[in-house]
Amino acid sequence: MGSALERAISPARFAAFDRPPSGKVVIVEMDARSVAAIRRWPWSRSNYAKAVDRLRLAGASSIVFDVDFSTPSDNAGDTAFAASLARAEGRVALATFGQSESSTDQRIIDALPIRKFRPHVALASVNIAPDPDGQVRAMLYGTMTDGTPRPSLAAYIAQRSGSAGTEFAIDLSIDPATIPRLSLIDVIEGRFDRSAVRGHDILIGATAIEMGDRYGTPQWGVIPGVVIQAMAAETLLRGVPLTGSALTLFVVGMIATGLIVASRSTGMLVATVGAPLVLIVIAALVAQHWLLITYPLVPPLGMIAVAGMICGLREAAARFRRQRTIDEATGLPNKKAMIAAGEMDASATLVVVQIDNYDSLQAVLGAGPSDDLIVRVSERLALIARDRAVFRTGDRQLAFRLPADHCLDDTLEGLRIVLRQPVEVAGRRADVMASAGVASGTDGVGSLLLDAVIAAEEAVRLGKFWHDGARDGAGRDADISLMGELDDALRTDLIEVYYQPKYSLREDRIASVEALVRWKHPERGFIGPDLFIPMAEKTNRIEAMTLYVLHRVVSDLAIWRIEHPDVTAAVNISAKLLSDTAFNTAVEDILKSSCVPTSSLIFEVTESAAMSDPARAIAALNRYRELGVAVSMDDYGTGQSTLTYIRQLPLSELKIDRSFVQHASRNVNDAVLVRSTIELAHKLGLKVVAEGVEDLECLTFLKACGCDLAQGYLISRPVPISALTEMLSIQMRFAA
């Protein structure tokens, strides 16, 4: 494999330099013009006799034939040629070679010029030995014919000695087109410049295509054998090429490999791979083209490349691990990093600091400065944590482990004092309102972190700065146990998806449904969504639950779309997920792998969710719209959005909160709000869904106002998929 790779890169090694020939070797071509002029084949050797005489009289230093003279021709021609050889007085060399006896018999038969040509000439080998791939890269110094070592044409012309059977690399950086040439017919007829011959070595051979004798080369394609002989002669005229020891650059490659393996950063890895590669290649090219020593490049380059690839994968894996454990916005270690850092400890005491007014600070400061605020607060926490790291475990939460010798009351009092001081961010002083939760024990960092988060929430509820989760006892343990059981419920499909219909007041039919989760616990019975959904959000399980629901909805959609293709389904998206890249990627994967069109789906987000982070919310919602999913604002009227802000959101639908709808048919103020909202939404090109419709009077009022869809117990309670498909087939009507 190494030899094959060496052959593969050899053209590049020669292409790096463009070397002109010495000009000492002149090719006299038996070319197409000569064939056309002489017209008879085989040629009478009197033609060669004339060429020898012309070249001798012109002052050629030597005349070498790459022509087979091993069989007699016409007697007159042979006699004339023998006489011209005698007159040349030893300046002529004729070809000798070994060849197989036949295609089935591989015994070598020696071919020598006929005896009458031998007395006054030298004999030189013209054997060419291509590599296994059929390409010619090297030439022999000589061969044995008739029991006598014969120099190759190249060695004869260059007057270089070498052992028969050994070879040297041909310098393929010489462009064969630049080697001087004369046509044989011009030489025979005396039409050539004598100065082009005087003192030069003349190499006579066939270049006409019809004469064959052509070989493939890696650099120059298929060229005549006589040209290869000339390039080999030019190589030896410059010096004797040597093959360097593979061990030399192999040792260099080993040293470089050691440096690569020892590198511990991307920059060092690039340097330790790139620098040795460049230096080895430059050194090899310098040695090859100036010192005439060819060193194998594949062993060192192969070692460095393989080591670089393996270590590059190692670095990529390490970087991926680092990215998973680093909060991208602040550069602080995240929750995964905290759990990993605490896996080996038998016990720990964790403190979670929650910034209670984070949303307000973010609205005033903006996303970038808000991240800087988190960093500034973490620096203050580091003073309390001493040599312990501070982790960002949530958007508004920072956590650290207390030193082993801590006094809890004193530590938390010091923390309260530190956090009371305003924080300088973007040239502004910001007051941070924070609460802290504490948890300790041997349950592992992951469990303790959940305890501390819940304790911080409890501190907010109790109006205290900090709260110790251990003092809550069984109630909190039951909640955490419930969340663990929620994980099992999601894995085992115990969470059910129910659908509450949305009734079209224009078409008098069920036009859409809202997906709602229901949990029938095998031991605790029915657990209300108002209990486990907020807990799922606090304990970062809402993403898994939402993706679970989306999977189920997509599957159920495929069922009812067979007979009811116009009925869409809405899925609720939690505020925490709007800017979660991993969640959005998972949603895209589900939508792309689904067989139902994305236009059949609606994502419902609460008004407060959209308002908590306008920039990220709009970006996320725009992406959903690009995917073809409609976006609905849930619970409209309970937040504090402006008309301009509502117009900027990529909405398809507004859902008026039930608190305004239920009594709108009897309460003047609620009626005004509902009518104005419907009118506003329609002017903005949005559909309107009224929630909480529980009586026919309310439904009649909504239809009179031009409301598009109604949802509530009058239409139907949430039902499983089996009941929904039955309702769709009946298509009930309401006389509103």
Side-chain angles (χ1 to χ4, degrees):
M1 186 175 66
S3 299
L5 291 174
E6 290 287 355
R7 290 193 294 269
I9 66 174
S10 65
R13 297 179 68 154
F14 289 109
F17 294 89
D18 184 11
R19 191 179 308 288
S22 67
K24 183 171 175 56
V25 178
V26 178
I27 299 174
V28 172
E29 301 180 273
M30 298 161 60
D31 57 1
R33 286 181 55 229
S34 303
V35 172
I38 298 175
R39 294 189 180 182
R40 178 172 171 265
W41 186 260
W43 292 347
S44 171
R45 287 171 179 159
S46 61
N47 293 297
Y48 301 123
K50 293 177 184 178
V52 169
D53 287 338
R54 295 282 191 185
L55 294 170
R56 174 177 57 81
L57 294 175
S61 176
S62 66
I63 305 168
V64 184
F65 280 89
D66 183 11
V67 180
D68 181 12
F69 294 116
S70 60
T71 57
S73 183
D74 64 289
N75 187 56
D78 287 351
T79 301
F81 187 45
S84 68
L85 296 177
R87 289 190 293 272
E89 299 177 342
R91 279 186 284 181
V92 177
L94 299 184
T96 178
F97 55 93
Q99 61 182 353
S100 300
E101 183 170 352
S102 67
S103 60
T104 58
D105 190 341
Q106 297 302 308
R107 288 178 298 175
I108 301 299
I109 302 298
D110 294 332
L112 284 78
I114 60 177
R115 290 189 178 276
K116 67 189 307 182
F117 295 161
R118 298 182 201 172
H120 303 288
V121 301
L123 298 183
S125 170
V126 296
N127 279 81
I128 294 178
D131 286 334
D133 62 354
Q135 303 286 302
V136 176
R137 296 178 178 85
M139 182 65 69
L140 295 167
Y141 278 104
T143 60
M144 298 289 294
T145 55
D146 195 28
T148 303
R150 315 285 185 184
S152 64
L153 293 189
Y156 176 82
I157 292 172
Q159 296 298 298
R160 300 286 186 184
S161 60
S163 301
T166 61
E167 61 184 23
F168 62 91
I170 300 173
D171 187 354
L172 294 174
S173 61
I174 300 171
D175 186 347
T178 62
I179 299 176
R181 304 190 189 195
L182 297 172
S183 175
L184 179 63
I185 192 62
D186 290 338
V187 172
I188 292 172
E189 296 178 357
R191 299 191 305 269
F192 65 95
D193 184 359
R194 291 173 177 265
S195 64
V197 172
R198 188 179 300 113
H200 291 72
D201 295 301
I202 308 302
L203 182 55
I204 302 175
T207 60
I209 294 176
E210 54 265 43
M211 291 187 175
D213 192 35
R214 305 176 80 81
Y215 298 88
T217 63
Q219 185 73 2
W220 305 106
V222 177
I223 58 177
V226 67
V227 177
I228 294 177
Q229 299 283 4
M231 294 174 69
E234 286 285 356
T235 301
L236 291 182
L237 284 170
R238 186 165 178 264
V240 178
L242 302 174
T243 299
S245 171
L247 185 61
T248 303
L249 291 185
F250 185 83
V251 170
V252 176
M254 286 290 290
I255 295 172
T257 299
L259 295 174
I260 291 169
V261 173
S263 64
R264 286 296 178 266
S265 69
T266 302
M268 182 179 292
L269 179 62
V270 172
T272 53
V273 172
L277 285 176
V278 172
L279 291 175
I280 288 174
V281 170
I282 291 175
L285 292 177
V286 169
Q288 177 179 336
H289 291 278
W290 277 278
L291 304 179
L292 304 184
I293 304 175
T294 301
Y295 287 99
L297 275 174
V298 169
L301 297 187
M303 275 195 303
I304 293 172
V306 171
M309 179 178 64
I310 293 174
C311 292
L313 292 174
R314 179 193 68 185
E315 177 65 21
R319 176 173 290 188
F320 178 71
R321 287 194 298 270
R322 287 194 298 271
Q323 288 176 342
R324 291 185 64 222
T325 57
I326 295 294
D327 177 61
E328 183 179 352
T330 62
L332 294 171
N334 61 15
K335 177 182 175 182
K336 290 185 176 68
M338 186 173 197
I339 293 174
E343 284 178 349
M344 302 302 294
D345 293 337
S347 63
T349 298
L350 302 186
V351 177
V352 168
V353 174
Q354 177 173 285
I355 302 175
D356 301 327
N357 61 336
Y358 181 72
D359 288 343
S360 300
L361 291 172
Q362 191 176 48
V364 173
L365 298 174
S370 297
D371 294 332
D372 292 338
L373 173 75
I374 295 292
V375 174
R376 301 286 85 78
V377 173
S378 73
E379 292 170 351
R380 295 189 177 187
L381 299 187
L383 299 174
I384 304 299
R386 290 189 277 184
D387 60 338
R388 303 280 185 160
V390 177
F391 303 83
R392 187 179 189 183
T393 57
D395 285 343
R396 67 188 64 216
Q397 294 166 351
L398 293 165
F400 62 92
R401 300 177 59 214
L402 287 177
D405 60 347
H406 73 277
C407 173
L408 186 59
D409 290 335
D410 292 345
T411 300
L412 270 296
E413 179 59 24
L415 180 61
R416 187 179 66 83
I417 294 172
V418 166
L419 293 178
R420 187 183 295 170
Q421 304 300 318
V423 179
E424 291 280 350
V425 180
R428 307 178 68 171
R429 292 166 62 87
D431 290 317
V432 175
M433 298 173 60
S435 301
V438 180
S440 29
T442 59
D443 296 336
V445 175
S447 296
L448 293 179
L449 187 58
L450 291 177
D451 288 349
V453 168
I454 295 173
E457 293 285 354
E458 186 66 11
V460 175
R461 190 183 69 81
L462 297 174
K464 304 191 303 183
F465 170 66
W466 70 280
H467 183 71
D468 188 349
R471 298 172 187 172
D472 287 341
R476 186 165 46 80
D477 290 342
D479 291 343
I480 293 177
S481 174
L482 185 65
M483 287 298 94
E485 294 173 11
L486 176 61
D487 293 336
D488 294 335
L490 289 172
R491 282 193 297 269
T492 56
D493 290 337
L494 292 179
I495 298 296
E496 298 183 53
V497 177
Y498 277 44
Y499 297 95
Q500 186 170 28
K502 299 178 185 178
Y503 188 75
S504 173
L505 297 174
R506 297 179 185 275
E507 302 174 10
D508 289 329
R509 69 178 181 88
I510 297 174
S512 183
V513 295
E514 179 181 359
L516 301 168
V517 289
R518 294 294 183 265
W519 185 5
K520 293 181 180 178
H521 195 282
E523 296 176 0
R524 306 188 191 198
F526 178 78
I527 300 176
D530 56 337
L531 173 62
F532 69 84
I533 289 180
M535 290 182 63
E537 287 188 328
K538 292 178 183 178
T539 56
N540 296 320
R541 287 174 168 84
I542 195 65
E543 177 180 352
M545 180 183 295
T546 304
L547 294 176
Y548 173 88
V549 171
L550 182 57
H551 270 293
R552 289 287 300 272
V553 169
V554 167
S555 300
D556 291 346
L557 256 172
I559 295 174
W560 76 63
R561 275 186 54 81
I562 297 174
E563 296 184 4
H564 308 285
D566 296 330
V567 178
T568 59
V571 178
N572 289 282
I573 304 295
S574 169
K576 287 189 173 183
L577 301 179
L578 280 177
S579 56
D580 189 319
T581 303
F583 171 77
N584 289 326
T585 301
V587 169
E588 289 194 38
D589 292 340
I590 293 172
L591 296 180
K592 290 177 181 177
S593 62
S594 167
C595 62
V596 300
T598 53
S599 58
S600 299
L601 286 168
I602 303 170
F603 285 173
E604 292 190 7
V605 294
T606 61
E607 183 181 352
S608 57
M611 289 296 294
S612 64
D613 186 350
R616 293 186 182 182
I618 291 173
L621 296 177
N622 275 322
R623 179 55 184 159
Y624 293 149
R625 289 301 302 271
E626 289 173 7
L627 293 172
V629 179
V631 177
S632 173
M633 176 174 282
D634 198 8
D635 300 336
Y636 179 74
T638 59
Q640 301 179 24
S641 59
T642 65
L643 299 182
T644 302
Y645 183 67
I646 296 299
R647 186 181 59 186
Q648 290 174 346
L649 291 176
L651 299 174
S652 306
E653 178 182 279
L654 281 184
K655 294 188 72 174
I656 307 176
D657 187 70
R658 66 178 64 250
S659 60
F660 302 103
V661 173
Q662 282 179 321
H663 307 293
S665 60
R666 297 182 294 275
N667 185 293
V668 176
N669 292 333
D670 288 349
V672 170
L673 187 145
V674 170
R675 285 196 188 94
S676 61
T677 300
I678 293 172
E679 182 180 354
L680 168 66
H682 286 168
K683 288 183 177 179
L684 293 176
L686 307 179
K687 290 183 179 180
V688 179
V689 180
E691 296 182 291
V693 179
E694 298 183 356
D695 54 59
L696 196 58
E697 182 182 359
C698 181
L699 188 70
T700 304
F701 167 77
L702 292 171
K703 189 168 187 178
C705 293
C707 185
D708 301 288
L709 299 162
Q711 180 179 357
Y713 285 176
L714 174 67
I715 309 302
S716 172
R717 292 176 177 271
V719 295
I721 178 65
S722 57
L724 174 66
T725 53
E726 185 178 345
M727 290 174 63
L728 292 175
S729 62
I730 296 173
Q731 279 299 340
M732 55 188 175
R733 297 286 189 270
F734 292 90

